[in-house]
Amino acid sequence: MAREIRAGELAAWLTDDQRPQPLLLDVREPWEVEIAHIAGSRTIPMHLVPLRMSELPDDTPIVTICHHGVRSFQVALYLENAGFEDVQSLAGGVEAWASAIDPAMAHY
């Protein structure tokens, strides 16, 4: 079953040169990403993920991101069921990231 990763754990991972860097997959709508964005993330809205799965690397860890974590967890489960092996969801989404890592990030 897909796992969740906390904001602090993800921040540490992103600065760890010894670990392969994950693809940060933001599954929110483009207007949501415009309000608050985690640097380096790639946006594919949740409803388009099934149509655009071929764009995702199957040999790279993936961390899914949404506003509070519900949509991203659903996408993580979907990707895992589709055969992706290392998929995690950002627990609490960008709201958790903004609170724990980037307090300058806009809340919405």
Side-chain angles (χ1 to χ4, degrees), residues 38-60:
I38 296 176
S41 63
R42 178 173 179 192
T43 303
I44 300 178
M46 180 180 184
H47 70 282
L48 294 177
V49 168
L51 300 172
R52 295 180 57 187
M53 275 194 325
S54 63
E55 298 175 27
L56 302 176
D58 57 5
D59 60 346
T60 300

Side-chain angles (χ1 to χ4, degrees), residues 2 6 22 40-41 47-48 51 57 60-62 72 84 100-101 107:
R6 302 255 178 250
S41 63
H47 70 282
L48 294 177
L51 300 172
T60 300
I62 298 173
S72 60
F84 290 84
I101 307 302
H107 292 262

